[in-house]
Amino acid sequence: MILIFCAPSGSGKSTMVKHLLSRFPGQFALSVSCTTRAPRGQEQDGREYYFVSREAFEQHIANGDFIEYEQVYEGLYYGTLRSEIERIQSAGMTAVFDIDVKGGLNLKRIFGDEAAAVFIAPPSVEELSRRLHGRGDTSEEMIQKRLAKATIELADAPKFDYIITNDDLQKAQHTLEELVKNLGMVR
Ligand code: ADP
Ligand code: 5GP
């Protein structure tokens, strides 16, 4: 099975996914997406993303290397490489996807019962704004774009198999641990 996580940017998805990976070492691996956006903060090529030029991204599209890709924000591409799924599954691990809502629902459509799609919801759009400002690594313009997109994405939450509200982080992490246990994803 694969595990798909979607959430409006700033909901705490990365924080929760990182927790899952460290809580169950060797059992889950994050699919590293390709993007044309620039690295933020401490991000490293090949770890958070494969950071590529627009030309290189378009070459991957032409080669059919992506299982899905989107222009998530105006002018910025993000895509999931088929080779990531093969890399992770051949290592005997469960592939975890941290992608936008549209991409997540596309993957769910492709994988069907072989996928669990989880929506991480923020307690409110106001709290989302606080978290994005608090993270301090995104311009005001990008924050406003993300907040506008969040309102649209929240409407799609009911299409997911599971919704976890990330209000109290520890509680949300516990709910996630119980979910993967109940799905039989951990040894
Ligand atoms: P995402 O991956 O969804 O964009 P992050 O995991 O980067 O979000 O979280 C956004 C910010 O909110 C980070 O600064 C993170 O430390 C903080 N954060 C995450 N979960 C919570 C929570 N439950 N309560 C308060 N702050 C949180
Ligand atoms: P960020 O720039 O904050 O890292 O990510 C912006 C958005 O792009 C997030 O919602 C993230 O989940 C999404 N994203 C990251 N990788 C992919 C991908 O491969 N495909 C799609 N469709 N969205 C992605």
Side-chain angles (χ1 to χ4, degrees):
M1 269 189 98
I2 65 163
L3 190 52
I4 304 165
F5 286 100
C6 299
S9 179
S11 303
K13 182 178 48 169
S14 312
T15 307
M16 291 194 39
V17 169
K18 268 185 206 139
H19 170 78
L20 182 74
L21 268 60
S22 64
R23 173 70 184 73
F24 302 105
Q27 303 199 45
F28 295 93
L30 201 55
S31 161
V32 179
S33 294
C34 239
T35 183
T36 59
R37 87 152 161 75
R40 282 196 303 249
Q42 302 300 306
E43 287 179 338
Q44 282 175 22
D45 185 46
R47 191 179 65 183
E48 281 79 10
Y49 285 104
Y50 300 110
F51 295 100
V52 300
S53 66
R54 196 179 175 88
E55 292 68 33
F57 198 101
E58 286 173 346
Q59 190 58 54
H60 279 306
I61 296 175
N63 295 346
D65 294 337
F66 292 119
I67 188 157
E68 66 77 36
Y69 71 90
E70 302 279 341
Q71 282 212 36
V72 176
Y73 299 105
E74 212 178 308
L76 293 180
Y77 277 125
Y78 293 79
T80 306
L81 293 163
R82 296 177 193 282
S83 56
E84 282 296 293
I85 302 176
E86 290 154 17
R87 171 180 73 81
I88 294 165
Q89 292 188 337
S90 65
M93 291 193 276
T94 299
V96 176
F97 297 84
D98 169 348
I99 65 180
D100 87 324
V101 167
K102 226 168 132 192
L105 291 173
N106 278 336
L107 276 191
K108 175 67 190 175
R109 224 166 282 131
I110 294 164
F111 284 86
D113 290 344
E114 304 285 298
V118 182
F119 190 92
I120 308 289
S124 64
V125 176
E126 291 72 30
E127 173 61 16
L128 198 59
S129 172
R130 267 193 290 281
R131 288 183 194 171
L132 284 172
H133 283 99
R135 202 167 60 184
D137 61 1
T138 311
S139 70
E140 185 59 32
E141 188 199 347
M142 281 307 286
I143 290 179
Q144 292 311 322
K145 277 193 192 167
R146 279 155 198 253
L147 290 175
K149 188 169 150 83
T151 310
I152 299 164
E153 290 178 328
L154 283 168
D156 279 328
K159 295 181 186 164
F160 283 74
D161 298 322
Y162 307 96
I163 301 176
I164 299 177
T165 300
N166 177 21
D167 188 351
D168 179 282
L169 182 59
Q170 296 218 317
K171 267 194 205 154
Q173 287 175 338
H174 179 73
T175 304
L176 178 56
E177 286 177 28
E178 291 303 305
L179 175 63
V180 296
K181 283 181 195 163
N182 290 335
L183 288 170
M185 284 180 164
V186 288
R187 292 186 285 271

